[in-house]
Amino acid sequence: MKRLRGIWLLPAIVALLVATASGSAQAKIIGLGENQTGSAKSFAFTAKAGHINTPDGSSLLFWGFADTSSGKVQFPGPTLIVKQGDTVTINLTNQLAEPVSMLFPGMTMTSSVKPVIPAGDRSQLTSLAPEAAPGGTQSYTFVADRPGTFYYQSGSNLPVQLRMGLYGAIIVRPSQDGSTRNVDISSHNLNDPLNPGVAATRWPFTRFVYNDSLADPVAENVSTGYDREYLFLVSEMDPKFNSWMEFEKDKVARPFDFSKWKANYWFINGRCAPDTMSPVNAAYLPSQPYNSAPLMHPGETVLLRFVNMGSDPHPFHTHGNHMRVVGEDGNPLSSSAAAGADLSWQAFTLTLQPGKSYDATFTWSGEKLGWDIYGHADALEPYEYIPDHGKIYTPNRPAVAGVAQAPAPPQALPVLLPTIEEGIFGMWYSGSPYMGSAGPLPPGEGGMNPFSGFFYMWHSHAERELTNYNIWPGGLLTMMGIVPWSATISSDDTYNQGM
Ligand SMILES: [Cu+2]
């Protein structure tokens, strides 16, 4: 999205930095379950109605799940975070006016999975799982025996209940999590901060999507190790449908024509941009507690856990670097149980299909740009790409036979860090010629970019999905922030800040 540079960049970055400055930006996946000890985990959910807010001022009726202890219904439902081998029980109470059930695709159910087929001469399946009647309860138990990214959803009256938001994510951490595996990164030419000027050969990971090969150092192509993780649960809504659900008094006489259902809001973790970049638990989004504000340090590996709970495919694009897709639907992309992610592949854009999950890793080091992204020629930054260090940018003008070209400038401008004046008059100028405008901005608008970070867009490549009910920009979009190692990322394990 070249045209998004400049004018759109500013409010997005302001939003992100405000979120970060308040110390509540999401730097890990938040959810329920990690504070429970033992391998038997129990959750109490209530299905109920609420309203979500969109950045254009709309309010939509939704149905969601509440963590009963807080009572706050949320969109999407609470993310469950459990460990491989855990036995998970969910006690559901239904406060909606119609029966609700829960499905856990990919899990080994140990409670009843009997579908609901009411007796009668025109028997029809009405639910894919045992239901909680209005005002009633139902419990579900499963063993989370496989690691990966999963989801739960309603199994009843699907055309209505899925469109109303009855779903959430499940993360199952592998039994290998917490052990240290060294991944061979000798081919990366990244500066080793412990041994400046020398290329780093090992990167220790302690978190993994799946159980990797036991060899140490682990070959890079089979590791599912990562440093930080972010959830991208994507979905969409047609406000005309939510409005019909809320205000139509006679739904039998005036049914909704589902052939005319057409999405006009697109969400990441239940929020439309730019709310995606607002803080976790923002007071003005009482039913949408999760944000999508990824931050990383150069050289780190970020895990993107994708779940598509909508009914449309969403092509997700990360800019800057490709993602490496290492898993799908809770299965590592491997050729055998022991091989690790050897069938992983590089994605420029990853099309998220409805009802599927994907695990993809992402690394950004500024490598092979042909110029020094840090704009300096002094000491190497941690994990800086060594061959580009100290390089200046020169335009690439391939020779064309028989075509006279104007001579290239003898020396293009190097990438300079902002001066004090630019800090005052161009407050977000990162020093990169590729990010935003370096022109003067009105003084007095906030402060400098405190991280000197690089911020750029992660978004749906279906560009209609970058709107909020036809107002651009918005929708399925957020900004990735790459901040120097000197900047603390909230809940960074190194600093142990926690959420
Ligand atoms: Cu783009």
Side-chain angles (χ1 to χ4, degrees):
M1 286 296 300
K2 284 177 185 159
R3 61 195 168 143
L4 288 188
R5 290 197 190 114
I7 198 165
W8 161 242
L9 197 62
L10 288 172
I13 292 177
V14 169
L16 179 58
L17 291 176
V18 166
T20 307
S22 70
S24 54
Q26 179 187 349
K28 62 173 185 180
I29 297 173
I30 54 173
L32 305 175
E34 289 189 297
N35 59 350
Q36 292 189 30
T37 54
S39 61
K41 303 220 158 62
S42 178
F43 305 93
F45 274 15
T46 305
K48 58 207 279 194
H51 285 86
I52 55 176
N53 297 328
T54 59
D56 57 341
S58 271
S59 169
L60 305 180
L61 176 73
F62 82 105
W63 293 353
F65 294 106
D67 169 16
T68 306
S69 62
S70 75
K72 277 172 75 173
V73 64
Q74 64 175 78
F75 175 64
T79 301
L80 301 182
I81 305 175
V82 300
K83 247 198 134 160
Q84 184 180 1
D86 282 355
T87 298
V88 180
T89 297
I90 288 150
N91 296 304
L92 173 66
T93 301
N94 182 12
Q95 290 184 4
L96 294 170
E98 65 178 61
V100 170
S101 64
M102 291 183 79
L103 296 179
F104 305 90
M107 302 300 173
T108 303
M109 300 301 298
T110 56
S111 61
S112 169
V113 292
K114 212 175 160 192
V116 179
I117 305 172
D121 58 350
R122 293 186 65 215
S123 293
Q124 277 186 318
L125 183 138
T126 59
S127 171
L128 293 164
E131 295 177 309
T137 61
Q138 179 67 47
S139 80
Y140 306 90
T141 301
F142 62 83
V143 179
D145 44 13
R146 292 191 298 137
T149 306
F150 301 88
Y151 58 85
Y152 58 83
Q153 64 161 67
S154 165
S156 304
N157 194 11
L158 296 174
V160 168
Q161 295 194 8
L162 282 188
R163 286 185 168 99
M164 289 300 284
L166 282 162
Y167 45 72
I170 303 175
I171 288 160
V172 183
R173 301 208 181 283
S175 46
Q176 178 181 284
D177 229 32
S179 64
T180 301
R181 295 281 154 74
N182 290 295
V183 172
D184 185 344
I185 59 162
S186 49
S187 65
H188 285 217
N189 271 311
L190 297 181
N191 178 45
D192 183 347
L194 300 177
N195 206 0
V198 176
T201 57
R202 300 282 184 271
W203 191 285
F205 285 115
T206 57
R207 301 166 174 183
F208 305 87
V209 197
Y210 298 100
N211 294 306
D212 282 353
S213 149
L214 295 174
D216 192 12
V218 181
E220 187 183 10
N221 68 316
V222 300
S223 175
T224 63
Y226 63 92
D227 298 297
R228 302 179 188 284
E229 61 176 344
Y230 296 98
L231 177 67
F232 296 85
L233 187 153
V234 300
S235 59
E236 69 276 344
M237 283 183 177
D238 177 351
K240 291 193 293 303
F241 171 68
N242 301 65
S243 162
W244 175 85
M245 286 292 291
E246 183 164 16
F247 299 113
E248 177 54 60
K249 295 286 182 252
D250 192 343
K251 291 187 171 61
V252 175
R254 288 177 290 276
F256 189 83
D257 181 356
F258 281 105
S259 71
K260 297 215 165 64
W261 188 93
K262 188 182 181 199
N264 260 310
Y265 289 107
W266 293 269
F267 306 91
I268 306 176
N269 299 337
R271 294 184 183 181
C272 310
D275 289 346
T276 46
M277 293 166 274
S278 295
V280 167
N281 294 321
Y284 47 90
L285 298 165
S287 302
Q288 296 144 281
Y290 300 154
N291 71 358
S292 175
L295 292 172
M296 70 185 290
H297 294 135
E300 286 183 331
T301 298
V302 167
L303 168 66
L304 294 80
R305 294 185 186 266
F306 291 109
V307 180
N308 183 355
M309 294 314 301
S311 52
D312 294 338
H314 300 292
F316 195 91
H317 177 50
T318 47
H319 283 251
N321 289 78
H322 286 28
M323 295 168 264
R324 192 162 72 90
V325 186
V326 300
E328 268 190 46
D329 301 330
N331 296 299
L333 294 178
S334 64
S335 55
S336 74
D342 63 334
L343 298 181
S344 64
W345 57 284
Q346 300 269 323
F348 172 80
T349 293
L350 177 61
T351 299
L352 310 173
Q353 298 293 349
K356 280 180 69 74
S357 77
Y358 305 83
D359 307 298
T361 56
F362 177 89
T363 304
W364 189 97
S365 60
E367 69 184 75
K368 295 173 188 161
L369 291 172
W371 50 281
D372 185 348
I373 193 83
Y374 296 93
H376 62 62
D378 48 8
L380 282 151
E381 298 284 335
Y383 302 108
E384 183 176 347
Y385 184 64
I386 296 172
D388 282 348
H389 181 70
K391 273 194 184 170
I392 57 167
Y393 171 71
T394 47
N396 183 19
R397 294 187 173 197
V400 181
V403 178
Q405 293 193 35
Q411 181 175 296
L413 282 176
V415 180
L416 295 172
L417 293 177
T419 62
I420 293 291
E421 290 76 14
E422 286 163 332
I424 294 167
F425 293 108
M427 58 186 170
W428 306 113
Y429 178 47
S430 68
S432 160
Y434 294 103
M435 296 287 287
S437 166
L441 292 165
E445 287 191 18
M448 286 177 64
N449 174 350
F451 299 138
S452 315
F454 298 97
F455 294 83
Y456 60 88
M457 192 173 293
W458 283 9
H459 66 94
S460 169
H461 238 265
E463 301 201 353
R464 200 176 89 81
E465 301 183 355
L466 304 182
T467 57
N468 296 324
Y469 215 151
N470 303 324
I471 298 172
W472 178 91
L476 212 165
L477 180 164
T478 188
M479 302 289 280
M480 163 49 105
I482 294 139
V483 301
W485 281 84
S486 56
T488 302
I489 296 177
S490 175
S491 85
D492 188 322
D493 283 353
T494 308
Y495 300 90
N496 197 27
Q497 292 195 337
M499 273 306 302

